[in-house]
Amino acid sequence: MAPRFGFSNWWPKEAKKGTPVVVKMENPNYSVVEIDGPDAAFRPVERSRGKNAKQVTWVLLLKAHRAVGCVAWIASLFWALLGAVKKRLIFRQGVAMASEKMGKGKLLLTAIKVFLVTSLAILGFEVVAYLKGWHYFRNPSLHIPRSSDLQGLLHLVYVTWLSVRADYIAPPIQALSKFCVALFLIQSADRLMLSLGCFWIKYKKIKPRIERDLFDSDDVEGSAYEYPMVLVQIPMCNEREVYEQSISAVCQLDWPKDRLLIQVLDDSDVESIRCLIKAEVAKWNQKGVNIIYRHRLTRTGYKAGNLKSAMSCEYVQAYEFVAIFDADFQPNSDFLKQTVPHFKDNPELGLVQARWTFVNKDENLLTRLQNINLCFHFEVEQQVNGVFLNFFGFNGTAGVWRIKALEESGGWLERTTVEDMDIAVRAHLNGWKFIFLNDVKVLCEVPESYEAYRKQQHRWHSGPMHLFRLCLPAIITSKIAIWKKANLILLFFLLRKLILPFYSFTLFCIILPLTMFVPEAELPVWVICYVPVCMSFLNILPAPKSFPFIVPYLLFENTMSVTKFNAMVSGLFQLGSSYEWVVTKKAGRSSESDLLACAERESKTMNQLQIQRGASESELAELNRLKEQKEAAPLPVKKVNKIYRKELTLAFLLLTASVRSLLAAQGVHFYFLLFQGVTFLLVGLDLIGEQMS
């Protein structure tokens, strides 16, 4: 009997046709036969209409077309995915990366290639085994080990691994973990004490105050206040995006013009940028602002060398105070009136530091996480140290120095990349006191790209260790109190600059992942969960709007410890990158005051006409040339935000290790198999990684 393919079900049953006929038998002769099983002759036969061969062929073609279309769709999707991976990994959305920058991700790409080659080798082996017939057990030339042999070999390897792990690997890891946990508890206690001090300041409403308003016009004696001579310095280097708004904000400071001098200290090595800055200085100079432009031919000593060169001018001797603003800072017009009066009747005061606030803190996830750290730094660390110790690290900008304090402390030195911390430590050793004003805020920017942020953090963490090596003998031999020496050495340098990056990198980036494979070195739950979460809550308290980002903040801080630890080691041992200074790239974000001053900017044409009326022909020619260069200057090209995949991968690994440790604490013990998953994860994180920024 021919097989039936079920095509009869695709058409309706054939309807009966004709007139029914009844046959009647008068003398029937029949017998009954018992049959044990059904016979083919007695099986019912379905009546169906004969199928046309063309119809069957068309149905088969339709089915084949659907199958081919599905396969083509899957193939096109896979090809598009491969194209996207290639575009992100190599071309970065059409922008080719420089060969020297590709070296940073070369190691990770090598790991991906190793995984891929291994997978292809296994696949090739399976294909060869199939073609050779190794999958048939009846092949006499193939030696197939018995299951008992394999089990015995695997058991021997596993027992050997357990013995080596328990005797040689676990003990040093356990000792190192106990040491790091002790450092972690000490640092957590220090952070808790700082937070309690901040709560006490808020509760008691403690803050530096001026006895009376020296600038109150209703007060006859106050109105006769003699304004001191103030020098304002704006160091910059190739700051095309922010030079204009910074100079504009400083030139609008509310202070008598005859008692204020503004120095624009330009270290730019690009001719077009220098011309633009010169034109901006000339514009404000024509408006009556006492502003000068200085440019060094050689950029020795970076920012410290620039400030040192400016302070060596003869006319600086006539000034009593100096205010410093970086190129992206935009002080309010009353900044000097809120800071300089604190020096009156306080001859021991050497520095008044204002707080930073950020115009781009909500730009992306990276800026939000930076805002958490910086808010804690200013709100807690700087304020508490300023109130209780009268000492903290100078932030390098948004501060007013007494020039006498700078001169007695040795002035600006070019020996480190943290010249602000250097001068603060030397001034503290000479007995000068500092004041931090948490209520006086100056607008600035935080890096919006991870590359710029990473370089900034490298400088901020390598410089202090380099400075510690240089300042340690001076601290020990200084004449300050012993408790001040202990605070400088143990807390300011060792605990907050050395121990913090060391234990965070060792404990959470080395020991915690190793516990997935060495259960004997398992960390307690309170170390990997409870205490870090509590410390993160304390860090986020000064920025309460950032509470939704506590989980990314935890992972971000742990993964950034790799960069901070590397910078700390390079600074401590004076490696090649310890004296590397890279200018942090700015985006040129405008503040609200800039937006309110839009009317003034719209009247730029009128101002140019007024300038031209008071200028000579040579000056007019120079201004026109600078204006043409400004218009012809090419706009800065926005670079693709480079994603560092190793940090993202490490964040996922730490999260995996934490989850595994938490489950192990509940009695669930297992190991994660991350072979195929790691390859797909690395590529997937690189594809979606740009959402992080």
Side-chain angles (χ1 to χ4, degrees):
M1 183 177 177
R4 290 177 288 139
F5 295 96
F7 295 127
S8 59
N9 297 328
W10 298 352
W11 290 275
K13 296 295 184 179
E14 182 180 357
K16 295 182 179 181
K17 299 181 180 180
T19 304
V21 177
V22 179
V23 179
K24 187 175 182 181
M25 300 178 63
E26 295 181 355
N27 296 319
N29 186 10
Y30 56 87
S31 61
V32 179
V33 180
E34 184 177 355
I35 301 175
D36 295 333
D39 189 64
F42 297 96
R43 291 177 183 172
V45 179
E46 294 182 0
R47 296 179 178 270
S48 59
R49 185 179 59 182
K51 309 304 185 298
N52 192 348
K54 290 185 177 181
Q55 294 177 340
V56 177
T57 304
W58 279 111
V59 171
L60 293 176
L61 288 176
L62 289 175
K63 291 290 185 178
H65 182 267
R66 291 182 181 178
V68 172
C70 182
V71 173
W73 179 80
I74 295 175
S76 61
L77 181 63
F78 182 71
W79 186 260
L81 178 61
L82 291 179
V85 171
K86 181 179 179 181
K87 187 177 181 180
R88 288 284 291 117
L89 292 180
I90 301 178
F91 298 103
R92 296 288 177 183
Q93 297 180 350
V95 180
M97 294 186 300
S99 58
E100 61 271 10
K101 292 187 177 181
M102 289 186 64
K104 297 181 178 180
K106 192 174 182 180
L107 182 61
L108 189 61
L109 289 177
T110 303
I112 296 176
K113 292 177 181 179
V114 169
F115 280 114
L116 181 59
V117 170
T118 305
S119 302
L120 293 177
I122 295 175
L123 179 60
F125 175 78
E126 292 180 354
V127 172
V128 173
Y130 178 80
L131 296 177
K132 293 290 185 179
W134 293 347
H135 59 291
Y136 290 110
F137 288 93
R138 63 175 180 268
N139 190 346
S141 62
L142 179 63
H143 172 70
I144 301 176
R146 299 177 182 177
S147 59
S148 59
D149 298 338
L150 292 177
Q151 292 177 359
L153 180 60
L154 293 177
H155 180 72
L156 178 61
V157 172
Y158 183 67
V159 170
T160 305
W161 159 247
L162 291 180
S163 177
V164 172
R165 187 181 71 185
D167 296 337
Y168 301 101
I169 299 178
I173 295 178
Q174 289 175 343
L176 183 61
S177 64
K178 291 179 180 178
F179 178 68
C180 291
V181 167
L183 298 179
F184 175 51
L185 293 178
I186 295 174
Q187 196 273 336
S188 300
D190 173 67
R191 184 148 298 194
L192 180 61
M193 292 300 297
L194 289 174
S195 301
L196 292 177
C198 182
F199 291 148
W200 180 258
I201 292 174
K202 295 293 183 182
Y203 177 72
K204 291 293 185 178
K205 298 181 180 179
I206 302 174
K207 64 178 182 178
R209 289 185 174 89
I210 306 174
E211 295 183 358
R212 56 190 177 87
D213 190 0
L214 301 177
F215 307 101
D216 188 2
S217 59
D218 296 335
D219 188 357
V220 178
E221 183 180 357
S223 60
Y225 170 72
E226 183 178 357
Y227 288 84
M229 301 288 288
V230 178
L231 176 67
V232 180
Q233 296 177 333
I234 312 176
M236 59 180 62
C237 179
N238 297 328
E239 306 283 0
R240 180 192 296 270
E241 296 82 7
V242 294
Y243 77 92
E244 187 174 1
Q245 60 190 29
S246 176
I247 295 176
S248 175
V250 171
C251 289
Q252 298 179 39
L253 290 173
D254 188 8
W255 202 257
K257 294 182 179 180
D258 59 337
R259 309 195 71 81
L260 178 68
L261 174 63
I262 301 173
Q263 286 181 319
V264 178
L265 311 177
D266 184 23
D267 266 0
S268 302
D269 54 3
V270 180
E271 179 65 26
S272 60
I273 298 179
R274 292 202 299 266
C275 293
L276 295 176
I277 298 175
K278 286 181 182 179
E280 186 69 16
V281 171
K283 181 184 73 173
W284 287 101
N285 197 3
Q286 291 293 336
K287 292 182 179 181
V289 178
N290 192 10
I291 182 173
I292 60 176
Y293 174 86
R294 282 180 54 86
H295 174 70
R296 296 190 303 164
L297 297 179
T298 57
R299 189 192 171 200
T300 57
Y302 302 116
K303 182 179 177 181
N306 199 0
L307 295 173
K308 181 180 180 180
S309 175
M311 294 297 294
S312 62
C313 299
E314 295 182 359
Y315 55 80
V316 175
Q317 299 177 359
Y319 292 85
E320 186 177 358
F321 304 103
V322 55
I324 303 173
F325 299 100
D326 283 349
D328 59 318
F329 279 71
Q330 308 168 45
N332 294 328
S333 59
D334 59 347
F335 175 83
L336 294 179
K337 290 187 175 181
Q338 290 181 325
T339 55
V340 174
H342 287 275
F343 290 96
K344 183 176 177 59
D345 301 329
N346 195 356
E348 296 181 349
L349 183 60
L351 169 66
V352 175
Q353 174 71 58
R355 178 177 176 173
W356 301 358
T357 185
F358 312 104
V359 296
N360 61 338
K361 62 182 179 180
D362 297 325
E363 185 65 24
N364 52 46
L365 179 60
L366 179 61
T367 58
R368 293 176 186 272
L369 299 180
Q370 292 180 74
N371 182 59
I372 295 175
N373 279 336
L374 292 173
C375 284
F376 182 85
H377 170 70
F378 288 106
E379 186 85 13
V380 179
E381 293 179 346
Q382 297 290 78
Q383 185 173 211
V384 171
N385 290 327
V387 170
F388 294 104
L389 302 177
N390 293 120
F391 167 72
F392 48 83
F394 174 47
N395 294 116
T397 178
V400 181
W401 276 94
R402 190 190 297 270
I403 296 181
K404 182 180 179 181
L406 290 177
E407 294 175 348
E408 291 185 357
S409 302
W412 300 103
L413 299 181
E414 307 170 3
R415 55 183 182 175
T416 66
T417 57
V418 284
E419 73 292 330
D420 46 7
M421 185 180 296
D422 187 5
I423 188 63
V425 171
R426 287 186 281 114
H428 180 61
L429 296 179
N430 281 274
W432 292 98
K433 296 181 179 181
F434 303 161
I435 285 180
F436 178 76
L437 302 179
N438 192 53
D439 297 333
V440 181
K441 301 178 181 180
V442 182
L443 287 172
C444 62
E445 291 185 17
V446 290
E448 296 182 5
S449 66
Y450 181 77
E451 185 176 4
Y453 174 71
R454 184 172 176 269
K455 293 179 180 179
Q456 181 193 69
Q457 292 299 307
H458 186 277
R459 185 177 75 249
W460 286 3
H461 286 82
S462 64
M465 286 297 95
H466 188 195
L467 178 64
F468 178 65
R469 290 172 54 98
L470 300 175
C471 288
L472 184 59
I475 295 174
I476 296 176
T477 58
S478 63
K479 298 180 180 180
I480 61 176
I482 297 179
W483 67 271
K484 291 184 178 181
K485 295 181 181 180
N487 173 69
L488 270 177
I489 297 175
L490 299 179
L491 294 180
F492 186 76
F493 279 111
L494 290 182
L495 182 60
R496 298 167 188 168
K497 302 297 187 297
L498 187 146
I499 292 178
L500 177 59
F502 170 76
Y503 89 78
S504 60
F505 170 74
T506 307
L507 186 62
F508 295 107
C509 296
I510 296 181
I511 298 178
L512 180 59
L514 286 179
T515 57
M516 292 195 302
F517 308 100
V518 186
E520 292 85 355
E522 200 74 55
L523 295 174
V525 179
W526 57 269
V527 173
I528 62 177
C529 181
Y530 301 146
V531 177
V533 170
C534 293
M535 292 299 103
S536 298
F537 272 110
L538 291 179
N539 288 355
I540 294 180
L541 281 179
K545 294 182 179 180
S546 301
F547 269 103
F549 305 98
I550 184 171
V551 174
Y553 174 73
L554 266 172
L555 296 175
F556 178 75
E557 282 300 296
N558 288 331
T559 53
M560 277 304 300
S561 62
V562 178
T563 298
K564 296 177 181 179
F565 178 79
N566 180 29
M568 182 268 293
V569 172
S570 66
L572 186 62
F573 297 101
Q574 295 184 352
L575 301 180
S577 59
S578 61
Y579 199 68
E580 180 183 3
W581 182 292
V582 180
V583 179
T584 305
K585 296 297 181 182
K586 282 78 170 189
R589 303 291 179 182
S590 298
S591 62
E592 295 182 2
S593 59
D594 294 330
L595 297 177
L596 293 177
C598 183
E600 180 181 355
R601 294 175 181 174
E602 291 178 355
S603 60
K604 187 175 181 179
T605 305
M606 297 300 297
N607 293 334
Q608 292 291 341
L609 292 176
Q610 293 177 1
I611 294 174
Q612 292 177 3
R613 291 192 187 100
S616 62
E617 294 183 359
S618 60
E619 292 175 344
L620 288 177
E622 180 68 16
L623 287 175
N624 291 331
R625 186 180 66 85
L626 293 176
K627 184 178 179 181
E628 292 177 357
Q629 290 183 356
K630 182 177 180 180
E631 294 176 352
L635 295 177
V637 179
K638 185 177 181 180
K639 296 182 179 180
V640 175
N641 191 8
K642 186 177 180 182
I643 301 299
Y644 284 75
R645 292 154 294 174
K646 62 181 181 182
E647 279 78 7
L648 294 175
T649 308
L650 181 58
F652 180 81
L653 181 60
L654 296 181
L655 182 61
T656 304
S658 301
V659 173
R660 190 260 172 192
S661 300
L662 292 176
L663 294 176
Q666 303 298 326
V668 181
H669 298 276
F670 60 91
Y671 291 98
F672 290 95
L673 302 178
L674 299 177
F675 184 76
Q676 297 286 350
V678 167
T679 306
F680 179 80
L681 174 68
L682 294 178
V683 178
L685 283 177
D686 191 64
L687 289 174
I688 66 174
E690 195 162 355
Q691 299 299 324
M692 293 285 292
S693 59

